[in-house]
Amino acid sequence: MSAAARHPLDEVFHPRSIAVVGASSSQPETGWVARLLMAGYTGTIYPVNPRAAEISGLKAYPTVRDIPGEVDYVIFNVPARLAPQVMEDCAARRVRAVHIYTAGFSETGKEEDRLVEERVAAIARAGNVRIIGPNCMGMYYPAVGITFNPLFSREPGTVAFISQTGAGSTRFVYLANGKGIDFSKVVSYGNAVDLDAPDFLEYLAGDPETEIVACYIEGVRDGRRFLEAVKKCLAQKPVIIMKAGLTESGARAAASHTSSLAGSKAAWDAFFRQTGAVCVDSLEEITDVVLVLKYMPCPRGRRVGIVGRGGGIGVIAADICESVGLNVPPFRGETRQQLERLIPEAGAGARNPVETGRSISGAADFYAEGLRIVDADPEIDVILTHIAVDVYGGRHPRLKEQLLGTVEKLADTARNLAKPLVAVLYAGDTVEEVAAVLQARPRLLEAGIPVYSTVEAAARAISRYIDYSARKELMATE
Amino acid sequence: MSAAARHPLDEVFHPRSIAVVGASSSQPETGWVARLLMAGYTGTIYPVNPRAAEISGLKAYPTVRDIPGEVDYVIFNVPARLAPQVMEDCAARRVRAVHIYTAGFSETGKEEDRLVEERVAAIARAGNVRIIGPNCMGMYYPAVGITFNPLFSREPGTVAFISQTGAGSTRFVYLANGKGIDFSKVVSYGNAVDLDAPDFLEYLAGDPETEIVACYIEGVRDGRRFLEAVKKCLAQKPVIIMKAGLTESGARAAASHTSSLAGSKAAWDAFFRQTGAVCVDSLEEITDVVLVLKYMPCPRGRRVGIVGRGGGIGVIAADICESVGLNVPPFRGETRQQLERLIPEAGAGARNPVETGRSISGAADFYAEGLRIVDADPEIDVILTHIAVDVYGGRHPRLKEQLLGTVEKLADTARNLAKPLVAVLYAGDTVEEVAAVLQARPRLLEAGIPVYSTVEAAARAISRYIDYSARKELMATE
């Protein structure tokens, strides 16, 4: 077994059996038992429901105490008021960990609900039962077949995500899966009455299955411990954090949502400066940063060569690059001369940004030679190419084939470039364009090219990557 | 005839005949003549090409001088070096206006190209010929059947767009059409050697077909005149401006693109303060602002009630609202009590943001009563509802029907609300979700509900709307 296997949380992540208390007998096909079956969980599953003999083909038990074998992990799908009794049963049966899906605890703001949560936590502590939750989606761990949504990818990946949002985690995993990102482990842990961000971070620091750690955080109980856990993790791998609730309105919403104390913006700014964790502003941006971390080496500097069609689109792209901390310097004379020979009609477009040929096949024709010219300019550190699928292909009957042909050319050329390259595929609001982009995207990822839908997303991810790497180098020399 | 009909530019916009010089005989189906035919232009079209007898079924002429009838408008699709001769012909034939599509003039940065541009302009001035361009896409005026892209909507609308980006204009019109926005007139005017932004703005100020004016500007020649033209237009209707080239990299790119002097950020900040024009950061954002202006009354204040599913998604939405200058205040006690009675399971979700029911039909069930409760809260000025199509519907076989059912409920309820409402439909990266959203969007627009793809876009548009209206009121009282 690996080093991670010896961590106390390893038991939480590798249950040999799972009981579902409050297993649905009325809609078994969408319930927790069905989710485990569909995700391919290979341990033993025990449905618990006093009013059912069998659920999804498995024998059901009236309570956890009635289960004959060992029970490692229990999912609570019962009203909050029943949770103390279920936890008593879990403690009696030496259950190692539970996931309390149910909401209606301290996050309601009502004293009686807070007291129930406290009581559940006290019973668990006394019985050595670890808690994920309450008020959360629990675990998605494709390698062992645990999930809170059977539609998530079943492919294991190398990104871990720990999160205080449940529905947001679902959005995030869909979003990430769609961009070619698979997961080692995802944990939605809600109110964090027991296991909290630091526990997961300490575990993930040594988890050989995880190469990148991402977090959605509303609040932390023990700021010092969180800081240390993030540092420990960062010493091993990149940590990306989206901190929600940094505005007054957001902080109030976070208090209602997970009873979190959001903390001040100043304190969190200091936290990011001190740790060097990658700070992002949205769930979408987590995926943006994961893509650069996962698919390309870090650029050596902030000088971007922009390649694409459309003068105004190039101006806008240059503005965006600079506004996120990158530069778009003029090419050196030799580069310009070579580009002008290649695209004689576009004298203007040989400076940076570069104008490619006019049609989508024009872009393809340009790539083979044009990208090599830009790549050779010593004043350029990274290449960003944008393909306006809407303008080029706008309702073209053979859009899919055309776009595929262009990205194949791009992928072929990119293999021989010395500098990292990212691609932006703009799709308009048509099903055809979206379909073409979804088909083209994996080809680029296979070639190690991160793909984005906007220049802003691409440029910001590059900038964050450079910040992160610079900070890491600095810390290594300190 | 209306007042606008007497404006000198009216002749430019209403040509009785159009000649296309350099009409394509090799690919007539994609050429300028075909575009006019496909757009339904009802005036006379004269293809000009010395090597063709007929193009797209119309008799072709060797030069403009050879055309038998009057020629009001000429599209130049010839290399820059031939432009002076063609302009001589136009002047001789008393052409009123030309659109020089061709690039390769002053924007190349080469002295010889700048001189050609100057010569063309001088010939035009002497002959009283107005110029749109060079280096641009020209006009899209669906009501008279002039277009630079036959795939644009043929429906006339009430939004005008004047622009120094050609490919960007194509992107923008596709984008806008897809969001239910149609146009009175679009002009891509490139290097603006003659007709410039102030000319178009002065015309649009009095144009009865135009209710909202939007601009993409890289640089202006005469700042004073531009300011006065924007003010004149603003006295009649909203003006939205995207100013590109405000960073060093962007300014350099703008100089290459349209040989524009971009101007300093400080000067442009002062311009926006002084005029009250709506300042936006992207082409996408122009459409965002148009939607609120077009579809809803301005909220009386900045207090947003957020309604949707997902606690963390609500926290993120609240943060976004506040970061763009809106507030998400807690509801008053009565509102909360009513919401708690309606959604007993979500004690936490009755404060603001509100949690709706769990499924997409749960959201539909909530809307009828829930929105009325939020609407009645005197501390709320505007309602933002978000529907996570990805989380709710994620790969649901009947997603389209489900989403349509939900938006119908939303539309029905919205009709009886006192306060403005905007909707956010999050679609994930699947063709099915995009298709469902594209089908649902028009239903909401028909009910007067602006629809967005992100909370950020919606919140920023609301905030810009309030800024604009406040500024307008202030100016009226000054």
Side-chain angles (χ1 to χ4, degrees):
Chain A
M1 283 297 261
S2 68
R6 290 186 299 272
H7 191 281
L9 251 62
D10 206 57
E11 294 189 338
V12 175
F13 281 105
H14 298 95
R16 291 157 303 178
S17 56
I18 300 178
V20 177
V21 182
S24 174
S25 56
S26 59
Q27 291 193 300
E29 67 283 355
T30 60
W32 286 97
V33 171
R35 290 174 201 177
L36 294 170
L37 290 170
M38 288 170 77
Y41 177 64
T42 53
T44 315
I45 304 172
Y46 299 112
V48 175
N49 184 329
R51 286 178 308 279
E54 194 187 286
I55 288 172
S56 299
L58 299 171
K59 178 170 164 45
Y61 299 87
T63 72
V64 170
R65 288 183 200 253
D66 300 310
I67 295 169
E70 295 262 321
V71 184
D72 283 351
Y73 189 87
V74 175
I75 297 172
F76 284 39
N77 184 30
V78 294
R81 67 189 153 74
L82 301 181
Q85 180 54 52
V86 178
M87 188 59 88
E88 295 278 11
D89 296 350
C90 291
R93 290 300 307 272
R94 303 177 147 277
V95 166
R96 290 165 169 179
V98 305
H99 155 217
I100 307 182
Y101 168 59
T102 321
F105 292 92
S106 62
E107 82 282 2
T108 66
K110 290 176 194 151
E111 182 61 9
E112 68 262 34
D113 296 332
R114 199 187 57 75
L115 287 172
V116 174
E117 183 176 287
E118 252 183 32
R119 215 174 117 218
V120 171
I123 299 164
R125 255 194 316 275
N128 270 320
V129 184
R130 305 307 308 256
I131 302 174
I132 298 176
N135 182 26
C136 67
M137 300 306 295
M139 224 193 278
Y140 160 49
Y141 186 176
V144 306
I146 298 179
T147 193
F148 50 89
N149 186 325
L151 298 171
F152 290 166
S153 163
R154 284 185 61 178
E155 281 298 307
T158 56
V159 178
F161 180 57
I162 64 169
S163 167
Q164 282 185 284
T165 168
S169 294
T170 300
R171 288 206 65 209
F172 177 72
V173 176
Y174 278 147
L175 192 72
N177 284 169
K179 291 181 178 177
I181 299 168
D182 286 313
F183 291 91
S184 56
K185 297 160 179 83
V186 171
V187 186
S188 153
Y189 62 91
N191 296 8
V193 67
D194 172 27
L195 290 172
D196 202 350
D199 300 293
F200 298 116
L201 287 166
E202 281 166 15
Y203 175 72
L204 294 170
D207 177 20
E209 293 176 346
T210 298
E211 288 170 13
I212 298 171
V213 175
C215 318
Y216 169 87
I217 300 285
E218 293 188 352
V220 291
R221 266 194 196 75
D222 182 343
R224 191 77 234 157
R225 208 187 138 213
F226 181 73
L227 180 98
E228 291 308 324
V230 169
K231 277 187 174 170
K232 187 175 165 189
C233 219
L234 273 164
Q236 304 299 325
K237 50 196 84 175
V239 178
I240 306 163
I241 298 177
M242 179 188 174
K243 174 63 185 76
L246 285 180
T247 67
E248 206 186 306
S249 299
R252 209 158 36 221
S256 291
H257 178 221
T258 50
S259 72
S260 290
L261 285 175
S264 75
K265 181 146 185 355
W268 280 94
D269 285 348
F271 164 87
F272 281 107
R273 270 198 310 277
Q274 221 176 320
T275 57
V278 184
C279 169
V280 297
D281 293 331
S282 65
L283 295 174
E284 287 76 3
E285 214 196 324
I286 294 178
T287 64
D288 297 337
V289 173
V290 165
L291 286 181
V292 279
L293 287 168
K294 192 171 147 73
Y295 286 104
M296 77 182 210
C298 189
R300 288 174 175 226
R302 303 185 161 275
R303 299 167 303 178
V304 186
I306 299 177
V307 176
R309 171 77 191 142
I313 295 173
V315 176
I316 296 170
D319 271 336
I320 291 170
C321 284
E322 189 156 319
S323 72
V324 301
L326 303 173
N327 307 314
V328 186
F331 294 131
R332 63 174 180 170
E334 202 185 318
T335 308
R336 273 192 233 183
Q337 286 152 21
Q338 291 178 342
L339 286 170
E340 279 174 16
R341 274 198 293 278
L342 190 65
I343 36 168
E345 78 277 17
R351 283 174 207 161
N352 195 16
V354 187
E355 282 255 24
T356 61
R358 282 186 189 253
S359 65
I360 199 158
S361 52
D365 293 341
F366 174 85
Y367 280 140
E369 190 53 31
L371 289 179
R372 270 193 276 271
I373 296 171
V374 174
D375 187 53
D377 190 313
E379 317 266 305
I380 294 298
D381 302 306
V382 52
I383 304 172
L384 184 155
T385 185
H386 56 91
I387 300 178
V389 178
D390 44 7
V391 179
Y392 278 128
R395 299 141 216 205
H396 192 291
R398 290 185 53 249
L399 175 59
K400 264 191 188 176
E401 293 84 334
Q402 289 230 320
L403 184 61
L404 268 184
T406 300
V407 302
E408 299 286 4
K409 269 276 179 59
L410 180 57
D412 284 348
T413 310
R415 282 190 188 90
N416 299 312
L417 298 180
K419 290 166 189 166
L421 177 142
V422 302
V424 175
L425 302 184
Y426 296 111
D429 273 341
T430 72
V431 168
E432 293 73 22
E433 289 169 31
V434 171
V437 167
L438 289 177
Q439 199 185 39
R441 204 188 269 164
R443 306 293 182 105
L444 292 173
L445 292 174
E446 279 157 30
I449 303 171
V451 195
Y452 296 90
S453 303
T454 66
V455 170
E456 199 154 3
R460 190 176 285 141
I462 294 168
S463 187
R464 303 263 198 221
Y465 194 6
I466 296 169
D467 286 343
Y468 164 75
S469 298
R471 167 83 201 174
K472 203 174 108 188
E473 265 177 49
L474 192 71
M475 285 171 109
T477 60
E478 262 170 7
Chain B
M1 280 301 258
S2 68
R6 289 187 301 272
H7 190 281
L9 252 62
D10 206 58
E11 293 188 340
V12 176
F13 282 106
H14 297 94
R16 291 157 302 178
S17 56
I18 301 178
V20 177
V21 182
S24 173
S25 57
S26 59
Q27 291 194 299
E29 67 284 354
T30 59
W32 286 96
V33 171
R35 289 173 202 179
L36 293 170
L37 290 170
M38 288 169 79
Y41 176 65
T42 53
T44 316
I45 305 171
Y46 300 111
V48 174
N49 185 329
R51 287 178 306 281
E54 192 190 287
I55 288 172
S56 300
L58 299 171
K59 177 170 164 45
Y61 299 88
T63 72
V64 170
R65 288 181 199 253
D66 301 307
I67 296 170
E70 296 263 320
V71 183
D72 283 351
Y73 190 88
V74 175
I75 297 172
F76 284 40
N77 184 33
V78 293
R81 67 189 155 74
L82 301 181
Q85 180 54 53
V86 177
M87 188 58 87
E88 296 277 11
D89 296 350
C90 291
R93 289 299 307 273
R94 304 177 145 277
V95 166
R96 289 164 171 181
V98 305
H99 155 218
I100 306 181
Y101 168 60
T102 322
F105 292 93
S106 63
E107 82 281 2
T108 65
K110 290 176 194 152
E111 183 59 10
E112 67 262 35
D113 297 330
R114 198 187 57 75
L115 287 172
V116 175
E117 183 176 286
E118 251 181 35
R119 215 174 117 219
V120 170
I123 299 164
R125 254 194 315 275
N128 270 320
V129 184
R130 305 308 306 257
I131 303 174
I132 298 176
N135 180 25
C136 66
M137 301 306 294
M139 225 194 276
Y140 160 50
Y141 186 176
V144 306
I146 299 179
T147 193
F148 49 90
N149 186 323
L151 298 171
F152 290 166
S153 164
R154 284 186 59 179
E155 282 297 308
T158 58
V159 178
F161 180 58
I162 64 170
S163 166
Q164 281 185 287
T165 168
S169 295
T170 300
R171 287 206 65 209
F172 177 73
V173 176
Y174 279 147
L175 192 71
N177 283 170
K179 291 182 178 177
I181 299 167
D182 285 314
F183 291 92
S184 55
K185 297 160 180 81
V186 171
V187 186
S188 153
Y189 62 92
N191 296 8
V193 70
D194 172 26
L195 290 172
D196 203 349
D199 301 293
F200 299 116
L201 287 166
E202 280 164 17
Y203 176 71
L204 293 170
D207 178 19
E209 294 176 345
T210 298
E211 289 170 12
I212 299 170
V213 175
C215 318
Y216 168 88
I217 301 286
E218 294 188 352
V220 291
R221 266 193 196 77
D222 181 344
R224 191 76 235 159
R225 208 187 139 215
F226 181 73
L227 181 96
E228 291 308 325
V230 168
K231 276 187 176 171
K232 187 176 164 188
C233 218
L234 272 164
Q236 304 298 325
K237 50 196 82 173
V239 178
I240 306 163
I241 298 175
M242 179 186 174
K243 175 60 184 79
L246 284 179
T247 66
E248 206 185 305
S249 300
R252 210 158 34 221
S256 291
H257 177 220
T258 50
S259 74
S260 290
L261 285 174
S264 76
K265 180 146 185 354
W268 280 94
D269 285 347
F271 164 86
F272 281 108
R273 269 197 311 277
Q274 221 176 320
T275 57
V278 184
C279 168
V280 297
D281 294 329
S282 64
L283 295 174
E284 288 76 3
E285 214 196 324
I286 294 178
T287 66
D288 296 338
V289 173
V290 165
L291 286 181
V292 280
L293 287 169
K294 192 171 146 75
Y295 285 104
M296 77 183 209
C298 189
R300 288 175 175 226
R302 303 185 162 275
R303 300 167 303 179
V304 186
I306 298 176
V307 175
R309 173 74 192 146
I313 295 174
V315 175
I316 295 169
D319 271 335
I320 291 169
C321 283
E322 190 156 317
S323 73
V324 300
L326 303 174
N327 307 314
V328 186
F331 294 132
R332 63 173 178 168
E334 203 185 317
T335 308
R336 273 193 232 182
Q337 285 152 23
Q338 291 179 342
L339 287 170
E340 278 175 15
R341 274 198 294 276
L342 189 67
I343 35 167
E345 77 277 17
R351 282 176 209 160
N352 195 16
V354 187
E355 281 254 25
T356 61
R358 279 180 192 257
S359 66
I360 199 159
S361 50
D365 294 341
F366 174 85
Y367 280 140
E369 191 52 31
L371 289 179
R372 270 193 275 271
I373 296 171
V374 174
D375 187 53
D377 191 314
E379 317 267 304
I380 294 299
D381 303 306
V382 53
I383 304 172
L384 184 156
T385 187
H386 55 90
I387 300 179
V389 178
D390 44 6
V391 178
Y392 278 130
R395 298 141 218 205
H396 192 291
R398 291 184 54 245
L399 175 60
K400 262 192 189 176
E401 294 85 333
Q402 289 231 320
L403 184 61
L404 267 185
T406 300
V407 302
E408 299 285 4
K409 271 275 179 60
L410 180 58
D412 285 347
T413 310
R415 282 189 188 91
N416 299 310
L417 298 180
K419 290 165 189 165
L421 177 141
V422 303
V424 175
L425 302 183
Y426 295 111
D429 272 342
T430 72
V431 169
E432 293 74 20
E433 289 170 31
V434 171
V437 167
L438 289 178
Q439 197 185 38
R441 205 188 268 165
R443 307 292 181 104
L444 292 172
L445 292 174
E446 279 157 30
I449 304 170
V451 195
Y452 296 91
S453 303
T454 66
V455 170
E456 198 153 5
R460 191 176 285 143
I462 294 169
S463 187
R464 304 262 198 221
Y465 195 4
I466 297 170
D467 286 343
Y468 165 73
S469 298
R471 168 81 202 173
K472 205 173 105 187
E473 266 177 48
L474 192 71
M475 286 173 109
T477 61
E478 261 170 7

